[in-house]
Amino acid sequence: MSSFSKALRFPARHGAFKLRAAARTTLALQPQRRNLSIHEYLSMGVLQQYGVKVPRGAVAKSAEEAEKIAHDLGSEDIVVKAQVLAGGRGKGHFDSGLKGGVRVVYSYVFERNFAAAMSGPTEVKMFADKMLGHKLITKQTGAAGRICNAVYVVERLYVRREYYFAIIMDRATQGPVIIASSQGGMDIETVAAETPEAIVTHSIDINKGLQTEDARRVAEKLGFTGKAVDEAVDIFNKLYKIFIEKDSTMIEINPLAEIHTEDGGSTVMCMDAKFGFDDNADFRQKDIFALRDKTQEDPREVAAAKWNLNYIGLDGNIGCLVNGAGLAMATMDIIKLHGGDPANFLDVGGGAQADQVTEAFKIISSDPRVSAILVNIFGGIMRCDIIAQGIITAVNQLGLNLPLVVRLQGTEVDAAKKLIRESGLRMFSIDDLDEAAQKAVKMSKIVGMAREAGVQVKFELPI
């Protein structure tokens, strides 16, 4: 079960889980995700393809384009949303000085007798100019922020009531689960922690699909009444259809809202959407994966994926190259045990070739915070001599001058040690993992102290 679903289904236990996990490596709190996320405006486009009601709007990639969209919408009020793949956009800030990644332009007066709108488009253009090309910093992006290359300009509608609705994959039930709440428009984690009774969950038998009576029961528990119940049920069924047909891992609508209509009635509409899709389905979801925005991803993770390497960047300074996820976790834990901090999770897998190992070193060494590298390989399917050849090639190509600690055990380990010995390269070759981790931490601290003092330290690997 994901930490997301744990927070929602077991809020009290999740708090204890996080306290226990704090003693472990950062990766334990941020497991590798196997999904593609797409921008809000693209998610809204998918919703429209399935007949789900959404506000009118369009995406702009320049301030002038945003101004034109605002004019064409002709709505009294306009919302300008930064298209950045991170939560907490509304509470974030840009490096341009602008506060908030979601801004409302009020009292936008559109005069049909004139060729232009009064005031509104100019303000939309101003906000777009301060968003586009700038980095948005939120609680999820960290201090580095994330670049904003597009803004979503939409009409502002008048909401009668807001709800939260999501479908995710649940490991506990091995199938989809609906997570919903009558308290929409806010962080669902906060709702789960403060008012867990407001959370409605319903597990779906993936072999039967979402049944109409179950969808109706969820709608009624949320508080929908009258014809709004039928509209909500229709939307739930369409969202589930998207979830299954598009190989989704998550569909999140926040808020799902009852909107005031011009005739004095109301209608149910999806006001915001966040979609995730299973990376394993890219071969049959070509249209969805064509929507991927690599500018929103860590370039090192993009490079790693190109070479079929499993990489996640962390905040430490000891680069790790390991084969096998379990061994990688153990390696990072032992680094933490001895007072160090891993800079990454990097699993080369069981069938890596020398060129992949070389690329792995390039990715690790591209992180300016890395001050030492620990290689920990247990050769089963993976041969140690291939790792050794990759290490040698990487050191020669990159002119690597960081301290390098290598621990090799298993298949062809003697051949690997012979290659390293005959290469003429000096590195710390240590058989014991505990000792290897201690050495990596010590070397990292030496380099770190030198950097803090403004002293350039080079570890000359060639003898």
Side-chain angles (χ1 to χ4, degrees):
M1 185 188 300
S2 67
S3 60
F4 175 70
S5 58
K6 280 180 179 175
L8 299 181
R9 300 186 67 195
F10 312 111
R13 195 170 73 188
H14 182 64
F17 166 80
K18 288 203 291 186
L19 289 174
R20 291 195 300 271
R24 293 177 59 82
T25 177
T26 307
L27 185 66
L29 296 179
Q30 298 177 339
Q32 185 180 20
R33 285 184 282 177
R34 295 190 304 108
N35 62 33
L36 161 73
S37 294
I38 61 175
H39 287 294
E40 175 192 0
Y41 77 93
L42 296 171
S43 296
M44 298 297 252
V46 175
L47 288 174
Q48 287 179 300
Q49 291 173 20
Y50 280 77
V52 178
K53 294 178 183 177
V54 301
R56 293 181 302 124
V59 67
K61 297 187 177 180
S62 71
E64 292 74 20
E65 194 177 356
E67 181 181 30
K68 183 179 185 305
I69 292 169
H71 175 272
D72 293 343
L73 284 174
S75 176
E76 285 190 3
D77 299 331
I78 294 291
V79 184
V80 184
K81 299 182 175 183
Q83 295 303 282
V84 172
L85 293 177
R89 290 177 300 169
K91 297 179 181 179
H93 65 276
F94 285 89
D95 58 11
S96 64
L98 180 68
K99 303 294 184 183
V102 179
R103 298 301 298 257
V104 180
V105 178
Y106 295 100
S107 300
Y108 166 33
V109 181
F110 181 72
E111 298 291 346
R112 296 186 183 278
N113 296 327
F114 295 89
M118 305 296 291
S119 144
T122 302
E123 194 172 355
V124 168
K125 180 181 179 181
M126 180 270 292
F127 282 132
D129 188 57
K130 291 184 177 182
M131 291 180 181
L132 293 167
H134 294 282
K135 289 185 176 180
L136 177 64
I137 295 93
T138 76
K139 61 182 180 180
Q140 287 191 7
T141 67
R146 197 163 285 173
I147 193 71
C148 175
N149 294 318
V151 294
Y152 190 33
V153 183
V154 299
E155 63 178 341
R156 179 175 180 263
L157 298 173
Y158 294 91
V159 176
R160 175 179 291 179
R161 192 172 177 187
E162 294 182 327
Y163 307 85
Y164 175 92
F165 184 86
I167 306 174
I168 64 171
M169 289 301 295
D170 184 8
R171 289 183 182 178
T173 60
Q174 299 184 8
V177 62
I178 289 174
I179 298 172
S181 173
S182 57
Q183 298 181 25
M186 59 187 294
D187 292 338
I188 192 63
E189 292 86 355
T190 301
V191 176
E194 298 177 358
T195 54
E197 66 277 5
I199 302 294
V200 176
T201 62
H202 173 72
S203 297
I204 301 171
D205 184 337
I206 200 167
N207 296 310
K208 295 180 180 178
L210 178 59
Q211 303 298 300
T212 300
E213 58 270 23
D214 293 329
R216 180 173 295 277
R217 193 175 299 114
V218 170
E220 290 173 347
K221 284 183 179 179
L222 291 177
F224 285 101
T225 58
K227 74 179 185 70
V229 174
D230 293 328
E231 290 188 32
V233 168
D234 181 61
I235 288 177
F236 295 168
N237 283 321
K238 287 174 178 176
L239 292 176
Y240 183 73
K241 187 176 182 182
I242 295 172
F243 186 86
I244 295 299
E245 291 185 356
K246 297 297 184 182
D247 290 299
S248 297
T249 54
M250 180 188 73
I251 286 180
E252 183 181 56
I253 308 298
N254 190 20
L256 174 70
E258 284 188 73
I259 303 297
H260 288 283
T261 56
E262 293 181 357
D263 61 4
S266 66
T267 188
V268 182
M269 189 177 292
C270 294
M271 304 296 287
D272 196 349
K274 184 186 295 183
F275 287 1
F277 303 92
D278 194 333
D279 275 347
N280 291 318
D282 61 352
F283 70 96
R284 65 185 176 199
Q285 300 291 349
K286 299 295 184 184
D287 57 334
I288 291 294
F289 281 79
L291 305 176
R292 179 170 234 144
D293 183 358
K294 292 182 179 179
T295 66
Q296 298 293 301
E297 302 175 24
D298 186 329
R300 295 167 300 177
E301 293 184 18
V302 173
K306 181 180 177 182
W307 288 90
N308 293 320
L309 301 169
N310 297 313
Y311 177 92
I312 300 174
L314 301 175
D315 297 326
N317 50 21
I318 299 178
C320 303
L321 190 153
V322 190
N323 67 316
L327 187 60
M329 292 292 290
T331 302
M332 290 186 291
D333 279 348
I334 201 166
I335 287 173
K336 292 283 288 185
L337 179 66
H338 291 297
D341 285 299
N344 63 272
F345 168 100
L346 199 157
D347 170 20
V348 297
Q353 300 300 312
D355 58 348
Q356 289 174 287
V357 176
T358 300
E359 292 301 321
F361 265 92
K362 289 181 181 179
I363 293 168
I364 292 172
S365 61
S366 68
D367 186 344
R369 293 173 298 188
V370 170
S371 52
I373 299 175
L374 172 60
V375 177
N376 183 21
I377 298 295
F378 183 80
I381 299 173
M382 182 76 254
R383 288 168 45 186
C384 293
D385 58 334
I386 291 177
I387 294 290
Q389 188 57 59
I391 293 172
I392 294 166
T393 302
V395 170
N396 289 327
Q397 283 187 6
L398 302 174
L400 196 67
N401 55 23
L402 292 171
L404 179 60
V405 181
V406 180
R407 188 247 183 184
L408 301 173
Q409 291 293 325
T411 306
E412 299 293 347
V413 65
D414 292 333
K417 290 180 177 179
K418 184 172 183 290
L419 282 171
I420 292 173
R421 188 168 55 252
E422 294 177 352
S423 68
L425 301 178
R426 181 183 294 129
M427 59 189 77
F428 299 101
S429 181
I430 302 172
D431 291 340
D432 182 75
L433 176 56
D434 193 62
E435 184 183 344
Q438 290 184 58
K439 179 67 72 173
V441 171
K442 287 180 182 177
M443 293 298 102
S444 175
K445 288 180 178 178
I446 291 172
V447 175
M449 287 189 292
R451 288 177 178 175
E452 287 179 5
V455 178
Q456 208 171 31
V457 176
K458 290 186 178 181
F459 284 78
E460 299 293 338
L461 293 179
I463 294 175

